[in-house]
Amino acid sequence: MTMAPESPAAESPPVGSAATESPAAGRSPSLIATLPGRWYTDPGIFQEEQERLFESLWFCAVRGADLERPGAFRTVRVGRESVLVVRNRGGELRAFLNVCRHRGARLCTEESGSVRRGLQCPYHAWTYDLDGRLVAAPNLRNMPDVDRSERGLVPVRLREWLGYAWVCLAEEPPSFEEMVVGAVTERLGDADAVGRYGAESLALGHRVRYDVRANWKLIVENFMECYHCATIHPELTDVLPEFANGYAAQYFVGHGAEFAPEARGFTVDGSAGFGRIDGVSEEQDRRYYAVTIRPQVFVNLVPDHVILHRMFPLAADRTVVECDWLYAPEVVAGGHDVSKSVELFHRVNAQDFAACERTQPAMGSRAYRSGGVLVPGEHHIGDFHTWVAERVPGTAPDGRPRTPGGTGF
């Protein structure tokens, strides 16, 4: 992730973006080009994104606390693959491709569940232990030449961070510290900033799953900018009045939007929330921070809770978003009412996703064939477009490379 400019005056056009107007001497252009419309509708491009992004980079799959006991599992769609995450007998998380090594049947057909001893294929009863080793199969004793370890489940790399299991399907995964932790550090300008919220020790207070009929990139772009905030987020701008000016928190490195003086908490009506999470600094109090971790995670930080979005792109025009609201364990265990803090960002989500769904149909219009434009407060989105285009290889029908702001689309 490239750092956003520290101030509007310091910005410059993202690499690979083209101006649509000639700037005055010595000034950056006001408008720069977006990705063309077919990047949001073309199944071929989406398939390349699945392979080159979701199946090659670190993907936030499961909240660890959802798998409390040995034998608990959850299946997750990562790109084109079904990934099985399970807690083993030693209490550790393991991840595998959800495919039986016998004849390729889906091993676990349910989204979540628990097994007592092992994972058994419902087709021919090949059975695996919770570390993926083949332990039993009909007539297996009559096949002494079968190497049970060699016929075990195909493992998937897994890292735990912020209380979530992140998986990577690549044979040689990119550096987790650089790609994931580094993205947060770049945005917040402080390696310890996110750690002070202790997300791994927080408890799940609420979860909502949204089925959004829009391309995943439209959702990322929406989250990264606040040019729309004054138009569609009245509740949010009441609590964070600076958002009404059109510059999102992610536009400035290390910046957190300050609460309105009259707002007592990050709630739908500005009423008080809960006590500050232990570890959150005085400088972070009464401020909202937002971070995008490419390709599919949004982290929102406020003094008394953390909101984390995970996107699961299913088609060029469909994305499931799972949103978790996390609080101090005593808040959840004590049965405290979290509805007012949940309602604020639930409304933001619903407003944002409705806007993305209104935008998706126009991506296939001839009016958007060459794309749209980004105003200065959105220029940092151009970096995201360049990041996608550089990682999704291919050429246009005439052989020219696909790059944002170009004409080869």
Side-chain angles (χ1 to χ4, degrees):
M1 177 178 288
T2 301
M3 284 192 177
E6 295 183 0
S7 66
E11 73 187 25
S12 59
V15 175
S17 295
T20 58
E21 295 182 0
S22 298
R27 295 187 61 185
S28 299
S30 294
L31 304 180
I32 60 175
T34 68
L35 291 169
R38 69 188 292 256
W39 279 71
Y40 304 85
T41 62
D42 187 330
I45 292 177
F46 180 70
Q47 181 169 321
E48 288 188 15
E49 291 171 341
Q50 288 179 309
E51 178 183 354
R52 304 290 178 166
L53 300 178
F54 306 115
E55 296 173 17
S56 299
L57 303 177
W58 289 99
F59 190 101
C60 188
V62 176
R63 180 156 177 80
D66 289 347
L67 307 177
E68 291 185 321
R69 298 182 179 86
F73 70 85
R74 184 167 178 181
T75 58
V76 181
R77 170 83 172 265
V78 180
R80 297 162 296 180
E81 295 281 4
S82 176
V83 173
L84 172 65
V85 182
V86 62
R87 193 169 294 281
N88 70 6
R89 295 298 173 197
E92 300 170 314
L93 291 179
R94 294 286 187 264
F96 310 96
L97 295 183
N98 187 21
V99 177
C100 180
R101 297 298 305 282
H102 171 219
R103 296 266 299 282
R106 184 65 58 87
L107 187 62
C108 292
T109 57
E110 297 180 350
E111 183 178 283
S112 62
S114 182
V115 295
R116 299 183 68 179
R117 294 184 179 179
L119 301 157
Q120 187 175 85
C121 177
Y123 192 6
H124 294 97
W126 278 40
T127 304
Y128 307 84
D129 67 20
L130 301 182
D131 289 302
R133 181 175 177 270
L134 177 66
V135 293
N139 304 317
L140 186 59
R141 291 182 180 179
N142 298 329
M143 297 177 276
D145 58 320
V146 174
D147 185 331
R148 299 190 184 198
S149 298
E150 182 181 310
R151 295 298 170 184
L153 299 177
V154 176
V156 172
R157 301 290 184 90
L158 183 149
R159 288 284 301 269
E160 291 188 69
W161 191 59
L162 300 182
Y164 289 80
W166 303 66
V167 299
C168 185
L169 304 185
E171 290 186 10
E172 296 185 9
S175 167
F176 188 86
E177 283 68 28
E178 292 180 10
M179 295 293 294
V180 179
V181 180
V184 177
T185 302
E186 271 191 25
R187 161 66 188 97
L188 299 179
D190 178 359
D192 298 324
V194 71
R196 298 189 190 107
Y197 291 83
E200 66 282 353
S201 300
L202 300 182
L204 180 67
H206 196 71
R207 173 176 290 161
V208 177
R209 178 176 293 188
Y210 306 87
D211 195 333
V212 187
R213 298 291 172 169
N215 185 271
W216 68 278
K217 294 187 294 298
L218 291 178
I219 298 172
V220 173
E221 294 161 12
N222 173 278
F223 183 75
M224 290 182 69
E225 56 93 358
C226 214
Y227 192 47
H228 67 279
C229 287
T231 307
I232 70 172
H233 293 322
E235 299 88 356
L236 183 64
T237 53
D238 280 349
V239 177
L240 304 174
E242 69 181 70
F243 276 10
N245 296 326
Y247 285 98
Q250 295 188 79
Y251 190 88
F252 308 97
V253 175
H255 178 69
E258 190 172 3
F259 291 8
E262 64 275 13
R264 299 171 59 201
F266 195 73
T267 56
V268 70
D269 58 0
S271 59
F274 306 101
R276 194 165 76 195
I277 294 171
D278 289 343
V280 173
S281 69
E282 191 71 32
E283 293 74 21
Q284 293 170 310
D285 195 18
R286 293 186 57 78
R287 288 187 178 272
Y288 163 83
Y289 298 86
V291 183
T292 300
I293 304 177
R294 301 166 182 167
Q296 47 84 242
V297 174
F298 310 144
V299 181
N300 309 269
L301 306 168
V302 292
D304 64 338
H305 63 284
V306 171
I307 306 164
L308 190 140
H309 298 73
R310 286 168 289 149
M311 292 194 303
F312 300 88
L314 302 182
D317 60 355
R318 183 183 175 208
T319 309
V320 168
V321 183
E322 196 162 273
C323 184
D324 291 347
W325 282 260
L326 310 173
Y327 300 84
E330 59 270 20
V331 171
V332 176
H336 294 281
D337 184 5
V338 300
S339 62
K340 289 186 177 180
S341 55
V342 168
E343 182 62 22
L344 174 57
F345 228 86
H346 172 61
R347 290 193 191 184
V348 171
N349 287 337
Q351 292 156 352
D352 280 339
F353 299 154
C356 293
E357 290 183 337
R358 286 195 301 272
T359 302
Q360 180 64 37
M363 297 296 97
S365 169
R366 67 190 67 189
Y368 209 79
R369 186 172 295 158
S370 298
V373 293
L374 301 171
V375 302
E378 304 169 307
H379 279 192
H380 55 294
I381 296 174
D383 175 67
F384 168 64
H385 291 163
T386 299
W387 180 85
V388 172
E390 288 177 347
R391 284 162 177 77
V392 179
T395 58
D398 63 3
R400 286 179 291 181
R402 293 175 177 149
T403 53
T407 56
F409 294 90

